[in-house]
Amino acid sequence: MIRIRPVRIEDAEAIINLLNPLIEAGESTALDTVFTAEEERIFISEFPVRGVFHAAEQTEDGTIVGFQNVEPFATYTDGFAHVGVIGTYVERSGHRQGIGRLLFEATRLAAKDKGYEKFFAFVRADNVGALAFYKRIGFEVIGVAKRHAKIKGRYIDEVMIEREL
Ligand SMILES: CC(C)(COP(=O)(O)OP(=O)(O)OC[C@H]1O[C@@H](n2cnc3c(N)ncnc32)[C@H](O)[C@@H]1OP(=O)(O)O)[C@@H](O)C(=O)NCCC(=O)NCCS
């Protein structure tokens, strides 16, 4: 069974083991540099108080099979305080088993409690799976930023998506 819970500093290693292969593959994310466990520990420990950071854990053995986080869209004004930027990552072997959906349900409720009113994200235009996932859970495409990412020397459009909570 899968349990969704707030991420802990001790999850750093598991998270980079999930994330770094995706970064190295260069196919789904705009992130281009792998993280060390220490960098991830710092990222978790300094995660914004208003943020939401959830891990999906296998109850049998505690394996982390996915995570999702929401950070404030911007901090230089309170004018964007109701907007959270969301990201979702699920272990490849766990795809299409409803883990992303479980993460989203928990994240949506936690984000509402923290005063967010909408989610926003950039998704690579070539990331067909992630776009289908976000659409399925109620996101809407609101635009395309052309040649917005440059990964391994190749320009990629970024699709802007949003969803009211
Ligand atoms: C996008 C991602 C998080 C989806 O996670 P997931 O746990 O596989 O998603 P779910 O099983 O909860 O899928 C829910 C629904 O979304 C849709 N969906 C999810 N992945 C899909 C895919 N690859 N193709 C088409 N539809 C998809 C389906 O409708 C699915 O329901 P169904 O399986 O009953 O048909 C996962 O594919 C992933 O981690 N990808 C790599 C990282 C990434 O690109 N993250 C996005 C960057 S922000």
Side-chain angles (χ1 to χ4, degrees):
M1 258 187 37
I2 300 294
R3 181 167 77 108
I4 309 297
R5 60 157 177 82
V7 93
R8 305 181 192 122
I9 291 182
E10 309 84 83
D11 298 327
E13 196 101 31
I15 286 180
I16 62 162
N17 287 341
L18 203 159
L19 189 54
N20 284 345
L22 292 172
I23 296 174
E24 277 165 348
E27 286 162 7
S28 56
T29 174
L31 297 172
D32 71 338
T33 311
V34 293
F35 296 101
T36 65
E38 186 52 21
E39 284 167 339
E40 188 62 26
R41 275 192 285 275
I42 292 168
F43 181 73
I44 295 171
S45 63
E46 293 180 353
F47 201 71
V49 180
R50 274 199 75 234
V52 179
F53 199 162
H54 279 143
E57 178 188 69
Q58 237 154 21
T59 49
E60 296 79 19
D61 56 6
T63 306
I64 303 296
V65 289
F67 66 92
Q68 185 168 57
N69 55 28
V70 173
E71 294 178 69
F73 177 76
T75 48
Y76 54 85
T77 167
D78 285 338
F80 294 133
H82 62 298
V83 184
V85 177
I86 190 167
T88 316
Y89 297 88
V90 172
E91 174 72 42
R92 186 173 290 272
S93 62
H95 284 183
R96 301 301 288 268
Q97 292 169 34
I99 298 169
R101 212 192 282 253
L102 280 176
L103 278 163
F104 184 69
E105 204 37 46
T107 298
R108 189 177 68 82
L109 295 175
K112 261 189 143 174
D113 277 353
K114 291 196 168 180
Y116 290 98
E117 294 169 33
K118 64 176 275 191
F119 286 150
F120 175 88
F122 270 123
V123 178
R124 281 175 50 157
D126 57 354
N127 193 346
V128 179
L131 284 168
F133 166 70
Y134 283 117
K135 280 183 198 162
R136 185 70 186 81
I137 58 171
F139 281 75
E140 210 183 318
V141 172
I142 52 165
V144 177
K146 299 268 166 60
R147 292 158 61 89
H148 202 69
K150 193 177 184 184
I151 305 294
K152 295 184 190 280
R154 192 166 63 87
Y155 290 104
I156 299 150
D157 294 350
E158 289 271 321
V159 179
M160 283 180 276
I161 58 168
E162 69 175 14
R163 183 199 196 275
E164 296 284 334
L165 294 195

